[in-house]
């Protein structure tokens, strides 16, 4: 690891340590429950997204069942916690996420043996099947999965290496933070090993890898199993945090979420999925409070990224590297500023249309009213609709014009910075 | 120099290959001696590349036998054949496009240096391995491309890299499929000098269209037409063969 990356990672860890205290409610002497639970959620989602990217980004494997291993880690954890709490099995809390990881690993070994014989589309199909199979199984086999109600537990089992009760969210958050740092650190380490490098190699050209002594199936199998191990750790932390695990934690929607986070963040950079997980969690926790339609925004964000920025957020940042090193970032300031207004018009117009639609239908059914800047807005009158659609259309046309301009500037700027062919 | 006394490195016994109802390779038998430089020539569609695909295990054979240093290999998958000391390059450049040139070469070294599927060795501190990859980089004259993504190299550089990846693992039998295809004269001369240098002391089997290259390099030339060997022997013998002139060389020189 280069020095700069190490320092950056340390800064992020220190930030994660301090953030709950930034939002500490000194008047009432307590932590902000919202922040602590959002940060906790971030930790487990970061593990899920980065472990998913061991497949998608690093090995070129488009898996649709990653939540299976997360969920199995979660279910294993609730049963372990129950065993510790009710039967006094002596396992300290701090070690439980590791056991959850092993459950994820075991599950991934079983399913990996089936799925990793194939690659590309066939692999995706098999993993889709596995995901559906497990979601169905979770509803059928009540003893382990608890049916629709799931399995609940009490995390205050009073077994800790450090004498912690885990009664408060902040203690759980620090447990999550420690395990997130461990998991991300190990996954980073893996990228620097022969297996990690051969996963990249089989992604680029599996046939060439074969003619260098490597069995690409074995590479895929090992990478898949290890990814399952880390996802399991994430699931264990989930179970500890929420004290209940339902079939949602291994169903297709969460697998899709893993894909979303990794892709939006950027699959080509190790830290990309971390960015994606943070962004999606903020949207999930923050925007979901403000709007019924937050999933629409996540979906549209995903589609826009696929269409316009397939390298993801981290890829976009990385693309600026050569420009920055050449000391020409200033040439981009004005073109970027010129994107702000059309961007705002487009986003506001779109949000307006979505919210009006939502309040016209679902909102009305729930008896909610759209309120903007303290004044209620009549969704049945024409004016807000005209303004929203107008802003959207103006935004689209203007954005097309401005982005073409930006593209020209970018091309001119980077053409002589590219490595010569 | 003829090496007819040397032990056989690669032995192909009456190998046949059908694709559906069509027989593409129609009973090829060849013995290639250790240390020999063997060129396979023939018109388009003669089955030269298919032969390579059968020998290297990319496709299963329909019937016959293939032996590498006395051991049967025709039932084995490519990675096992490779581990036994046979390596190949591809007609269409086959490298890891998104990895750097250095990483490409290091990957090619990994298996033969015993790393297998290790997920515990950090590559950065494997001094002997890294030094070897650096040495290869120098050998291929690609040292100034160390950190360049392989996909961004020029065509000739990519071909050189692929040759380097093919010989990196220390295979004793090297199969090169048209290594100079699409190159200018200067590039071809350079590539051939490179191939001579890095395959020193190894068995080399090469598919090639450039007759100048073939007659310069080969100890033995095999002429393949419609999936059958119509001649095989030292260059002078093949050049004077009537069958070859009719089937191939004559047509080419018209």
């Amino acid at each position: 690891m280069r020095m700069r990356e190490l320092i950056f990672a340390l800064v992020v860890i220190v930030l994660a340590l301090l953030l709950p205290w930034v939002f500490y409610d000194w008047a009432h002497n307590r932590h902000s429950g919202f922040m602590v639970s959002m940060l906790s959620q971030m930790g487990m989602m970061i593990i899920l997204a980065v472990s998913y990217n061991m497949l998608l980004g690093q090995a070129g494997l488009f898996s649709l069942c990653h939540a299976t291993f997360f969920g199995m880690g979660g279910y294993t954890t609730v049963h372990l916690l129950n065993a510790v709490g009710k039967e006094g099995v002596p396992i300290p809390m701090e070690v439980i996420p590791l056991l959850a990881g092993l459950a994820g690993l075991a599950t991934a070994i079983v399913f990996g043996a089936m799925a990793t014989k194939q690659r590309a589309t066939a692999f995706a199909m098999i993993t889709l099947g596995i995901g559906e199979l497990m979601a169905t199984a979770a509803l059928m086999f009540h003893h382990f999965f608890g049916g629709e109600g799931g399995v609940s537990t009490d995390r205050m089992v009073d077994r800790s290496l450090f004498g912690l009760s885990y009664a408060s969210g902040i203690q759980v958050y620090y447990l999550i933070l420690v395990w997130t740092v461990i998991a991300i650190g190990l996954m980073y380490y893996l990228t620097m090993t022969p297996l990690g490098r051969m996963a990249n190699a089989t992604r680029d050209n599996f046939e060439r890898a074969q003619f260098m002594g490597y069995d690409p199936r074995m590479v895929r199998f090992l990478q898949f199993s290890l990814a399952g191990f880390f996802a399991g750790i994430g699931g264990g932390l989930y179970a500890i945090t929420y004290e209940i695990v339902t079939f949602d934690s291994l169903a297709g929607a969460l697998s899709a979420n893993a894909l979303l986070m990794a892709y939006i963040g950027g699959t080509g950079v190790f830290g990309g999925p971390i960015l994606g997980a943070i962004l999606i969690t903020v949207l999930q926790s923050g925007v979901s409070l403000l709007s019924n339609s937050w999933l629409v925004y996540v979906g549209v964000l995903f589609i826009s990224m696929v269409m316009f920025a397939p390298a993801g957020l981290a890829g976009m940042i990385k693309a600026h590297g050569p420009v920055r090193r050449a000391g020409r970032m200033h040439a981009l300031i004005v073109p970027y500023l010129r994107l702000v207004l059309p961007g705002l018009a487009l986003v506001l117009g779109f949000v307006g249309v979505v919210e009006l639609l939502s309040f016209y239908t679902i909102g009305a059914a729930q008896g909610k009213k759209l309120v903007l800047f303290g004044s209620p807005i009549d969704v049945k009158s024409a004016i807000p609709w005209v303004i929203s659609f107008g802003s959207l259309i103006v935004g689209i046309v203007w954005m097309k014009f401005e982005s073409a301009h930006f593209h020209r500037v970018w091309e001119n700027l980077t053409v002589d910075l590219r490595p010569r062919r | 120099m003829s090496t007819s006394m040397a032990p056989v490195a690669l032995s192909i016994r009456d190998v046949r290959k059908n694709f559906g109802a069509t027989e593409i390779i129609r009973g090829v038998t060849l013995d290639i001696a250790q240390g020999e430089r063997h060129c396979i020539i023939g018109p388009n569609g003669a089955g030269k590349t298919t032969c390579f695909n059968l020998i290297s295990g990319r496709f299963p054979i329909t019937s016959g036998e293939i032996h590498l240093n006395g051991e049967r290999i025709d039932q084995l998958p490519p990675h096992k054949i490779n581990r036994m000391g046979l390596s190949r390059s591809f007609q269409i450049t086959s490298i890891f496009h998104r990895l750097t040139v250095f990483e490409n070469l290091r990957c090619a070294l990994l298996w033969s240096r015993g790393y297998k599927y290790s997920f515990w060795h950090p590559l950065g501190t494997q001094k002997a391995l890294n030094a070897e990859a650096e040495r290869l980089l120098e050998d291929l004259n690609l040292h100034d491309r160390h950190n360049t993504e392989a996909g961004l190299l020029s065509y000739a550089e990519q071909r050189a890299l692929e040759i380097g990846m093919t010989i990196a693992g220390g295979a004793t039998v090297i199969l090169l499929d048209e290594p100079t295809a699409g190159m200018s004269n200067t590039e071809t001369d350079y590539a051939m000098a490179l191939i001579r240098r890095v395959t020193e002391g190894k068995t080399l089997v090469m598919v090639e269209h450039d007759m100048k290259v073939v007659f310069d390099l080969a100890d033995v030339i095999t002429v393949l037409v419609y999936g059958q060997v119509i001649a095989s022997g030292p260059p002078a013998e093949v050049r004077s063969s009537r069958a070859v002139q009719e089937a191939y060389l004559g047509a080419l020189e018209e």
Side-chain angles (χ1 to χ4, degrees):
Chain A
M1 202 193 301
R2 274 172 300 165
M3 208 54 201
R4 262 194 24 226
E5 290 170 7
L6 187 67
I7 291 170
F8 185 70
L10 286 176
V11 169
V12 173
I13 293 170
V14 170
L15 262 179
L17 280 167
L18 295 180
L19 259 173
W21 299 96
V22 174
F23 294 89
Y24 193 80
D25 182 353
W26 297 101
H28 299 95
N29 242 353
R30 65 175 181 219
H31 280 280
S32 152
F34 174 77
M35 275 312 285
V36 170
S37 72
M38 185 171 86
L39 289 170
S40 300
Q41 173 82 8
M42 247 175 219
M44 50 189 109
M45 287 301 121
I46 285 172
I47 296 179
L48 181 69
V50 176
S51 66
Y52 181 74
N53 202 44
M54 285 178 68
L55 304 176
L56 183 65
Q58 292 167 23
L61 290 171
F62 187 72
S63 169
L64 293 165
C65 71
H66 204 55
T68 296
F69 316 116
F70 185 90
M72 286 305 283
Y75 279 109
T76 304
T77 300
V78 281
H79 289 297
L80 279 173
L81 281 175
N82 285 340
V84 177
K86 290 174 189 155
E87 283 142 48
V89 180
I91 309 170
M93 185 69 145
E94 290 79 9
V95 178
I96 284 181
L98 176 66
L99 301 176
L102 293 177
L105 175 68
T107 318
I109 286 173
V110 173
F111 289 128
M114 293 154 64
T116 56
K117 295 264 183 289
Q118 304 292 330
R119 48 181 282 282
T121 311
F123 171 84
M125 299 292 220
I126 296 171
T127 57
L128 178 68
I130 292 169
E132 291 305 303
L133 183 79
M134 286 302 286
T136 314
L139 291 176
M140 280 171 62
F141 302 110
H142 288 229
H143 283 295
F144 187 75
F145 297 105
E148 274 190 58
V151 186
S152 52
T153 186
D154 179 357
R155 69 167 174 250
M156 281 179 275
V157 291
D158 205 22
R159 284 246 186 227
S160 165
L161 294 173
F162 312 105
L164 297 169
S165 67
Y166 295 101
S168 66
I170 191 75
Q171 287 183 356
V172 176
Y173 170 67
Y174 283 122
L175 179 70
I176 290 175
L177 180 58
V178 168
W179 270 105
T180 305
V181 171
I182 292 173
I184 301 300
L186 286 175
M187 283 190 268
Y188 187 80
Y189 182 85
L190 279 178
T191 63
M192 303 186 296
T193 64
L195 178 71
R197 191 62 72 249
M198 287 315 293
N200 302 154
T202 50
R203 168 199 67 198
D204 284 3
N205 187 341
F206 76 101
E207 201 148 43
R208 178 35 101 183
Q210 273 185 304
F211 294 104
M212 293 182 341
Y214 278 89
D215 183 356
R217 290 177 176 185
M218 194 59 170
V219 174
R220 290 197 290 265
F221 172 69
L222 291 171
Q223 187 81 356
F224 189 86
S225 305
L226 290 170
F229 171 70
F230 291 108
I233 294 179
L237 298 172
Y238 175 94
I240 292 170
T241 307
Y242 298 112
E243 299 180 298
I244 182 167
V245 176
T246 63
F247 97 111
D248 288 334
S249 70
L250 50 64
L254 188 63
S255 293
N257 223 0
L259 165 66
L260 229 66
M261 293 186 292
Y263 196 93
I264 289 176
T267 56
V269 182
F270 180 80
I274 300 180
L275 267 181
I278 292 174
L279 178 72
I280 296 292
T281 309
V282 169
L283 280 176
Q284 197 171 15
S285 314
V287 180
S288 69
L289 292 180
L290 300 172
S291 165
N292 270 338
S293 328
W294 76 276
L295 268 174
V296 175
Y297 301 128
V298 173
V300 170
L301 177 66
F302 178 63
I303 295 170
S304 329
M305 293 300 282
V306 174
M307 286 174 68
F308 303 115
L313 294 173
M316 278 157 76
I317 296 170
K318 200 182 167 194
H320 287 78
V323 183
R324 190 173 44 79
R325 277 192 292 278
R328 293 172 71 179
M329 282 297 267
H330 58 272
L332 287 173
I333 295 174
V334 175
Y336 265 122
L337 286 178
R338 284 180 61 174
L339 291 175
V340 171
L341 275 182
L344 270 178
L346 200 146
V347 170
L348 290 179
F350 179 73
V351 170
V353 170
V354 170
E355 290 304 319
L356 284 170
L357 271 173
S358 146
F359 275 90
Y360 193 80
T361 52
I362 310 162
Q366 294 175 347
K368 286 185 188 165
K369 279 214 156 47
L370 178 57
V371 178
L372 197 62
F373 304 123
S375 50
I377 287 168
D378 182 7
V379 296
K380 296 236 165 75
S381 80
I383 298 166
W385 290 90
V386 170
I387 292 175
S388 297
F389 269 109
S391 171
L392 180 60
I393 291 163
V394 169
I396 288 173
V397 174
W398 194 1
M399 194 61 168
K400 270 213 139 115
F401 177 75
E402 284 297 340
S403 61
H405 169 257
F406 183 85
H407 194 70
R408 275 196 303 278
V409 174
W410 178 264
E411 285 294 307
N412 285 335
L413 195 59
T414 50
V415 72
D416 38 275
L417 299 177
R418 261 180 230 144
R420 73 184 166 80
R421 275 192 69 100
Chain B
M1 52 156 193
S2 178
T3 47
S4 54
M5 286 299 112
V8 174
L10 190 64
S11 160
I12 301 164
R13 290 271 147 266
D14 193 29
V15 164
R16 290 168 189 276
K17 176 66 182 175
N18 297 353
F19 286 106
T22 324
E23 195 170 41
I24 299 295
I25 301 296
R26 305 187 296 162
V28 166
T29 296
L30 264 183
D31 278 326
I32 296 167
Q34 272 177 22
E36 187 172 294
R37 284 155 198 279
H38 195 117
C39 282
I40 300 177
I41 62 172
N44 283 330
K48 305 181 294 290
T49 295
T50 306
C51 265
F52 270 23
N53 287 338
L54 298 178
I55 296 168
S56 63
R58 193 180 187 201
F59 300 153
I61 61 174
T62 306
S63 69
E65 281 183 25
I66 305 172
H67 295 261
L68 174 66
N69 298 322
E71 286 185 77
R72 192 161 173 189
I73 58 169
D74 54 76
Q75 307 293 326
L76 298 177
H79 58 272
K80 292 212 171 125
I81 297 175
N82 179 267
R83 291 172 198 170
M84 292 166 70
L86 182 141
S87 186
R88 69 166 292 181
S89 74
F90 289 81
Q91 193 178 358
I92 297 163
T93 311
S94 180
I95 53 178
F96 306 123
H97 287 89
R98 285 167 63 190
L99 299 186
T100 65
V101 173
F102 177 76
E103 292 287 8
N104 267 274
L105 290 169
R106 190 160 65 176
C107 281
L109 287 165
L110 282 175
W111 189 275
S112 62
R113 299 309 179 271
Y115 286 95
K116 302 194 173 174
Y117 301 101
S118 155
F119 47 86
W120 47 90
H121 291 97
L123 285 170
T125 61
Q126 308 304 310
K127 289 209 180 73
L129 175 75
N130 294 332
E132 205 158 355
E134 295 285 358
R135 202 155 46 236
L136 261 172
L137 216 52
E138 296 282 333
D139 267 357
L140 300 169
N141 206 14
L142 288 173
H143 44 276
D144 57 332
R145 288 284 184 269
H146 190 286
N147 287 325
T148 308
E149 265 184 43
L152 298 173
L153 292 178
S154 74
Y155 177 73
E157 286 171 329
Q158 289 189 350
R159 297 302 282 182
L161 173 61
E162 176 157 17
I163 291 167
M165 290 164 74
T166 308
I167 56 111
T172 52
V173 178
I174 309 285
L175 273 50
L176 299 181
D177 197 350
E178 295 198 37
T180 68
M183 285 189 182
S184 70
N185 283 337
T186 341
E187 287 169 342
T188 300
D189 289 345
Y190 178 77
M192 286 318 298
L194 173 68
I195 289 169
R196 276 176 203 277
R197 192 149 40 88
V198 295
T199 60
E200 193 76 60
K202 301 179 183 212
T203 310
L204 175 66
V205 190
M206 200 164 103
V207 168
E208 184 54 64
H209 275 301
D210 188 331
M211 286 307 137
K212 187 178 158 297
V213 167
V214 170
F215 283 98
D216 268 3
L217 178 86
D219 301 324
V220 179
I221 297 175
T222 291
V223 185
L224 201 65
V225 176
Y226 290 123
Q228 283 180 319
V229 174
I230 61 161
S232 186
E237 196 180 294
V238 167
R239 199 197 295 265
S240 60
S241 152
R242 175 141 235 134
V244 174
Q245 279 171 3
E246 277 171 14
Y248 185 59
L249 292 176
L252 237 151
E253 278 159 13
E254 265 172 39

